[in-house]
Amino acid sequence: MSPSADPLSDGAAPVGGVHITYLVHCPRQLWLYARGYRPEQRSDLVAFGEVVNETTFPRRRDVDLGEAKIDWVTTGAVVHETKSSRAPAPAHSAQVRHYCLLLERRGVNVRGGVVHYPLVRRTVDVLWDDDARTRAEDAEADAQAVIAAATAPERLTRDQCRGCSYLDYCWGD
Amino acid sequence: MPAVGRTYWLTEPCRIRREDNSVRVERQDGSPVRIPITDIRDLVVFDHVDVNTSALSLLSRSGVTLHVLDHYGNHAGHFSPAESMASAAVVRRQVEITADEEQRLAIGRSLVLASAQNLRWSLDTDLLDPALDSLNAALPGCGSSEAIMGEEGNFRRTAWAVLDQRLPPWLRLNGRTRRPPTNAGNAFISYLNSIVYARVLTALRSTPLHPAIGFLHADTDRRRNTLALDLAEPFKPLFAERLLRRTAHQKHLKQNDFETDVGRASLSKDGRKKIAALVREELATTVYHRSLKRKVSYEELIHLEALKIVRLCLEGQPYKPFRPWW
């Protein structure tokens, strides 16, 4: 990730899709991720997600924006995102909205987004309008605030940490 | 978090090649074994192994470390991936903490004390209580790493003498020797210590820490990674001394598992295999972890120990060295 990846961000840390997902799921996770603790490699769930990503929609190509990597974009600028999860989560649509925002800043006329859940063969549409734009911008600002904080945010309750690859770090006392 | 992949222990001479995204292990007898790269976390090599560059680049790309143990069980070196997980933010804090004499010595003292207590635990005896008391009394007065290590040496000498009483004569240590170890007992301990060191190094590689910036050992101690040496300390009794006592008791190791010469000893081929099997089983042993609320293997305990240092660096949470709680 080069420091000048996004000329439009005013010197603050570039925020990618992972940052937004982590922000919505758990700010503490985002804080640790930004400081270089990245245990995802060791997580079976993450490895599973990668396999789902590779084996579904194989003809589509990644769009690499530097700070973010969009799963694929179709004509009319619809942003697509594949999730190995079986249930929609707020973090998924927030991530798509962030991609829409990043594309729009690059001068693309974005129409909206779709989250695909290939394991349950469902899709969820993500609207892109003024309201969504505000929410995306707020999320980006929140993420930057969390990253800049001097101390780590509190951990979530134990049951909310299920399946998180940061669990060993936060609870392994 | 169950780790992706597992450790492979290569105890026989073999050749490692790449075949698509698999590692192909060719042994002298029998057909080649193919292992998908995603199933490998790291490789521990005990014997002569030929590796070619395309295999190495596949290992590197998938973040697999290859550890090489020499004939005497010393850690001869390792091949590690080009990209490391290291993070500037964490390493900077690590340097700050280890540069602060007071913090460094405090952590060094607690490491030595915990190792001594673990040793007492693994030998399961109260013969060591006086030695532990005197170590406890001496540690606060130690003003340097050398003094701390000296106190540890005193304690260990007593502990090994106690251990010797429970071993058959041929397996006794009669004082610790290394490079090369002079007798069977020492060869066993050296071997196990090297394996523990290699496990700690693998664990550290999966964290943002730098393995060479440590607390207790001298920065150039045996020219090795200081932090890995430090974190190996509390785990050595769990593996080395405890397994030596157990194998002696169960008569699992035989005299001919060692090649003993005048003044030097090493494990024979069969001995190496036995130890690899023993350690693999031991690393997979699980205990219930109260705050994680699940079973963790001994291998994961080492990983959790490394995470404690990450917590110390990132959030300033005090570091408490590993103590067996079961």
Side-chain angles (χ1 to χ4, degrees), chain A residues 28 31-32 34-44 47 150 152-153 158 164-173, chain B residues 1-5 41 85 87 89-90 206-208 289 291-294 300 303-304 307-308 310-311 314-315 317 320:
Chain A
R28 183 178 166 82
W31 191 88
L32 292 169
R35 270 157 191 74
Y37 177 56
R38 300 181 176 188
E40 292 90 345
Q41 274 183 2
R42 280 173 59 100
S43 161
D44 280 336
R158 184 65 178 68
C164 176
S165 56
Y166 288 66
L167 195 148
D168 278 6
Y169 176 89
C170 294
W171 293 92
D173 228 333
Chain B
M1 171 181 52
V4 176
R41 186 171 60 229
M85 300 276 292
S87 134
V90 175
S206 67
T207 69
H289 193 292
S291 59
L292 287 180
K293 292 186 196 289
R294 64 174 164 83
E300 279 184 278
H303 176 240
L304 292 175
L307 291 187
K308 287 185 194 168
V310 184
R311 272 202 296 273
L314 275 177
E315 301 181 72
Q317 281 189 23
K320 280 198 296 272

Side-chain angles (χ1 to χ4, degrees), chain A residues 67-120:
Chain A
E67 70 265 48
K69 207 173 191 178
I70 305 181
D71 277 359
W72 80 86
V73 180
T74 47
T75 45
V78 178
V79 175
H80 295 262
E81 172 69 23
T82 318
K83 286 288 169 200
S84 59
S85 153
R86 286 160 187 277
H92 302 161
S93 42
Q95 187 184 352
V96 170
R97 275 196 296 273
H98 183 65
Y99 290 157
C100 293
L101 183 70
L102 291 180
L103 277 182
E104 202 169 70
R105 284 188 189 154
R106 279 172 171 73
V108 178
N109 188 15
V110 179
R111 193 151 51 126
V114 183
V115 190
H116 297 259
Y117 299 91
L119 295 188
V120 288

Side-chain angles (χ1 to χ4, degrees), chain B residues 256-272:
Chain B
N256 58 11
D257 287 329
F258 295 90
E259 286 164 0
T260 327
D261 235 346
V262 180
R264 57 180 55 210
S266 64
L267 284 149
S268 71
K269 225 177 164 125
D270 286 341
R272 273 202 289 259

Side-chain angles (χ1 to χ4, degrees), chain A:
Chain A
M1 222 182 279
S2 64
S4 58
D6 187 1
L8 297 168
S9 75
D10 40 16
V15 173
V18 180
H19 294 91
I20 298 295
T21 325
Y22 285 179
L23 171 76
V24 178
H25 173 242
C26 168
R28 183 178 166 82
Q29 195 181 11
L30 170 62
W31 191 88
L32 292 169
Y33 178 82
R35 270 157 191 74
Y37 177 56
R38 300 181 176 188
E40 292 90 345
Q41 274 183 2
R42 280 173 59 100
S43 161
D44 280 336
L45 270 177
V46 173
F48 174 69
E50 276 169 15
V51 170
V52 169
N53 225 4
E54 277 166 26
T55 50
T56 52
F57 311 107
R59 285 178 302 152
R60 312 295 188 175
R61 289 224 334 261
D62 289 348
V63 179
D64 201 338
L65 297 183
E67 70 265 48
K69 207 173 191 178
I70 305 181
D71 277 359
W72 80 86
V73 180
T74 47
T75 45
V78 178
V79 175
H80 295 262
E81 172 69 23
T82 318
K83 286 288 169 200
S84 59
S85 153
R86 286 160 187 277
H92 302 161
S93 42
Q95 187 184 352
V96 170
R97 275 196 296 273
H98 183 65
Y99 290 157
C100 293
L101 183 70
L102 291 180
L103 277 182
E104 202 169 70
R105 284 188 189 154
R106 279 172 171 73
V108 178
N109 188 15
V110 179
R111 193 151 51 126
V114 183
V115 190
H116 297 259
Y117 299 91
L119 295 188
V120 288
R121 299 189 175 221
R122 294 283 184 280
T123 58
V124 168
D125 287 333
V126 180
L127 285 179
W128 184 244
D129 50 21
D130 286 341
D131 178 42
R133 192 174 296 111
T134 328
R135 287 172 73 186
E137 278 162 355
D138 287 351
E140 191 185 32
D142 285 352
Q144 273 157 356
V146 168
I147 293 170
T151 54
E154 278 298 301
R155 56 190 181 190
L156 301 177
T157 58
R158 184 65 178 68
D159 52 321
Q160 287 173 290
C161 295
R162 208 169 63 95
C164 176
S165 56
Y166 288 66
L167 195 148
D168 278 6
Y169 176 89
C170 294
W171 293 92
D173 228 333

